[in-house]
Amino acid sequence: MGVPALEVLGISKDFGRIIALRGVSFSVQSGEFVSILGRNGAGKTTLLNIISGVSRPSEGEVKLFGTDPSDRENKAKLAVISHEMFLYGNLTAIENLEYYSRIYNVPNPKQRIETVLNDVELTHRRFDLVATYSRGMTQRLTIARALLHEPSLLLLDEPFTGLDQHAIGMLITLLKKQKEMGRTILLTTHDLHTANELSDRYIVISKHKIVMDGLMTDTNPDAIREKFFSAEAGGIDS
Amino acid sequence: MMRTAISILKKDLRMEFRSKESILAMWIFSLLIFVIFNFTFEVSRLVMLEIAPGLLWVAFVFSGMFGLNQSFALEKENGNLRAMALMPVDGGQIYVGKFFSVTIIMLMFEALIFPIFIIFYDLQLSLGMFRLIPVLLAGTIGFTSLGTILSAVAVHTRNQQILLSLLLWPLVSPIIIWSVTLTGMVLSGEVTEAFYPLLLRVGAFDVIFFTLSYMLFDFILED
């Protein structure tokens, strides 16, 4: 087995007296799809911020492809999709994607932009200002932006929040496609059924530390819920 | 190497030209300052020449504060500040892009408001007025080089505008005071031998502020 795509080694994070994470350790192999489950405030977003290099841990270390996550080479291999859009409302879809393709030095940007817009079914609205988009359309464009530079590691922070059924279905299809292409994917969610449909493996975070880590094939959502509830009352949606 | 800076600059200018939000607000704010001062105080031309440089820079820096706040408020919207922290680029490049966009917008606003200032205060145009160009450039660059990085610091907080003022004013005051002195020399037509050394001093501060900000910007983007 080669160098893991991601290694999280004894991460702790506190914001003054508030503890966000305590001694979190796990590794993710290349091509693996891992879901991180946990209730709101469990520390999932903090963990993703540390993995993406935006935030530093109070203790412990993260390695992306064997090196520091804040390395520029690593950042170029990474994409984050969250409830934040990372888009400019006063620019059109094309202008937003052109901007990011220049920043990420995307080869053949015109062709690539056309492909990702087509994947998220937004070609017909490409010349419209993003401010005029619905929530679902904006999230689809967010996905297109994230996939633009063909990242090796996708970090998804509650990406289904606020999406309608059509957009959820489209995102699931896109994620399955990314998985087939061998991309490493880390998804935080509290939706067990979606996690079960997509992931190879699950990690449950409760009270700021990992309480469960296992393969999806070894269990089912009900079993995870059962175990989770025994660790802590309430939290994960079915 | 400058690809990122140019991309950010182009993006910012495109958004500004589309909305004209900053320039228009800055222009109206300055116009109000000129109108209020012009009609409130009836002073002799001599006294007017004394206060006009200060008035001009009051308009520039107060409006400039709006431009600075607006620049990073745009980035905070939709999490774009976090997107910047995730970019596989040197933070200094992001600083350069934001610095140039803020500076260009502010210089454009100054070019638009200066003729109004001349008309309101009945100042005589002369060839000597061209000396104002390096003064305005040096003063503005000093203000925006420091303002850009401090605006990026302040945008993380809830009281962004208050914090920016508290951080920026003490540090940028020498540049503004020297710029007012230099502007006064040009407007009164009394350019003494102290003019160029003082202009050079403003330029030196510009270089120091710009270089430090360029080097430190990576740390600002982190949470």
Side-chain angles (χ1 to χ4, degrees):
Chain A
M1 204 174 282
V3 177
L6 167 68
E7 285 175 281
V8 176
L9 308 162
I11 289 293
S12 294
K13 177 76 179 178
D14 53 63
F15 298 96
R17 281 183 296 178
I18 299 165
I19 295 166
L21 290 168
R22 277 189 299 182
V24 172
S25 294
F26 64 93
S27 66
V28 178
Q29 296 301 322
S30 286
E32 214 176 357
F33 193 135
V34 180
S35 285
I36 298 178
L37 305 162
R39 66 190 299 182
N40 293 336
K44 304 186 298 290
T45 301
T46 305
L47 178 62
L48 251 56
N49 281 341
I50 292 171
I51 292 170
S52 62
V54 170
S55 182
R56 286 189 192 276
S58 307
E59 274 176 44
E61 192 186 0
V62 172
K63 283 183 180 177
L64 282 188
F65 307 101
T67 57
D68 192 309
S70 56
D71 279 359
R72 259 179 260 170
E73 277 182 27
N74 276 336
K75 283 185 170 180
K77 292 178 191 167
L78 190 76
V80 176
I81 298 174
S82 72
H83 54 278
E84 292 180 312
M85 306 301 174
F86 300 169
L87 296 168
Y88 296 92
N90 211 10
L91 296 181
T92 66
I94 284 272
E95 287 166 349
N96 267 289
L97 296 178
E98 280 174 350
Y99 167 66
Y100 278 105
S101 64
R102 278 193 298 268
I103 298 281
Y104 281 86
N105 208 9
V106 174
N108 298 324
K110 275 189 180 170
Q111 199 183 334
R112 183 69 193 143
I113 288 169
E114 211 172 286
T115 306
V116 291
L117 277 175
N118 193 42
D119 284 347
V120 296
E121 296 174 17
L122 279 175
T123 309
H124 64 296
R125 294 289 304 267
R126 64 190 183 281
F127 296 120
D128 293 341
L129 292 182
V130 171
T132 65
Y133 281 22
S134 68
R135 160 82 193 162
M137 287 166 73
T138 314
Q139 185 70 339
R140 273 148 58 194
L141 187 60
T142 300
I143 297 159
R145 178 203 56 76
L147 300 177
L148 189 65
H149 62 288
E150 302 188 82
S152 307
L153 175 61
L154 268 167
L155 301 178
L156 306 149
D157 188 11
E158 306 275 6
F160 302 104
T161 308
L163 293 187
D164 59 23
Q165 284 306 310
H166 175 68
I168 289 173
M170 183 181 289
L171 179 53
I172 288 174
T173 309
L174 273 170
L175 290 177
K176 283 179 177 170
K177 196 174 156 191
Q178 298 304 312
K179 188 180 166 184
E180 281 166 19
M181 290 165 80
R183 302 232 158 97
T184 312
I185 303 170
L186 202 62
L187 164 77
T188 74
T189 183
H190 46 254
D191 183 341
L192 273 170
H193 281 292
T194 312
N196 183 53
E197 186 182 345
L198 290 167
S199 336
D200 307 311
R201 187 177 141 205
Y202 66 91
I203 290 171
V204 180
I205 294 184
S206 173
K207 292 181 180 169
H208 322 295
K209 58 186 181 185
I210 293 177
V211 290
M212 287 170 70
D213 185 343
L215 296 175
M216 279 293 181
T217 47
D218 294 347
T219 187
N220 62 55
D222 293 331
I224 295 172
R225 196 183 310 111
E226 191 71 26
K227 283 184 192 173
F228 183 77
F229 278 119
S230 68
E232 179 182 323
I236 293 183
D237 303 333
S238 58
Chain B
M1 192 186 163
M2 292 296 286
R3 196 186 67 245
T4 305
I6 292 166
S7 299
I8 291 170
L9 171 65
K10 277 167 74 176
K11 179 262 297 172
D12 279 5
L13 292 183
R14 177 176 277 164
M15 289 203 293
E16 178 56 35
F17 288 139
R18 194 162 281 163
S19 71
K20 296 170 191 72
E21 205 173 338
S22 293
I23 284 199
L24 211 59
M26 288 157 81
W27 194 82
I28 290 170
F29 181 75
S30 295
L31 192 66
L32 279 174
I33 291 177
F34 293 159
V35 169
I36 290 165
F37 270 82
N38 194 43
F39 291 107
T40 309
F41 305 108
E42 281 193 25
V43 291
S44 66
R45 183 173 160 73
L46 212 62
V47 175
M48 186 55 77
L49 275 176
E50 288 278 316
I51 61 167
L55 201 59
L56 183 66
W57 277 95
V58 164
F60 285 172
V61 294
F62 274 99
S63 305
M65 291 291 285
F66 179 83
L68 285 172
N69 275 315
Q70 187 69 9
S71 173
F72 276 95
L74 272 176
E75 299 299 343
K76 201 177 181 185
E77 215 176 76
N78 295 339
N80 289 312
L81 210 57
R82 194 166 158 227
M84 281 187 158
L86 289 166
M87 286 173 181
V89 295
D90 176 20
Q93 288 295 307
I94 297 173
Y95 169 75
V96 173
K98 294 303 285 182
F99 161 76
F100 274 110
S101 72
V102 171
T103 307
I104 288 170
I105 289 169
M106 198 160 158
L107 287 171
M108 279 172 18
F109 143 74
E110 288 173 8
L112 286 172
I113 203 70
F114 191 70
I116 310 284
F117 172 76
I118 296 283
I119 294 164
F120 263 90
Y121 296 99
D122 195 22
L123 297 167
Q124 304 299 317
L125 280 172
S126 67
L127 277 178
M129 282 256 187
F130 280 108
R131 286 203 180 96
L132 264 184
I133 293 172
V135 174
L136 295 184
L137 264 176
T140 304
I141 288 172
F143 178 77
T144 53
S145 59
L146 199 57
T148 303
I149 191 165
L150 294 179
S151 177
V153 173
V155 79
H156 290 291
T157 65
R158 236 177 275 171
N159 299 315
Q160 179 194 347
Q161 297 187 359
I162 297 168
L163 187 68
L164 178 60
S165 305
L166 284 173
L167 293 172
L168 184 58
W169 287 121
L171 292 167
V172 86
S173 291
I175 284 185
I176 301 303
I177 292 166
W178 294 332
S179 299
V180 170
T181 307
L182 289 164
T183 307
M185 286 184 193
V186 176
L187 291 182
S188 63
E190 293 167 8
V191 176
T192 64
E193 58 186 20
F195 181 83
Y196 288 106
L198 194 54
L199 184 61
L200 208 63
R201 200 186 299 168
V202 177
F205 265 68
D206 291 357
V207 173
I208 292 168
F209 285 157
F210 181 86
T211 310
L212 278 176
S213 303
Y214 178 86
M215 287 160 59
L216 293 172
F217 205 76
D218 252 333
F219 301 102
I220 306 296
L221 287 174
E222 274 183 25
D223 266 0

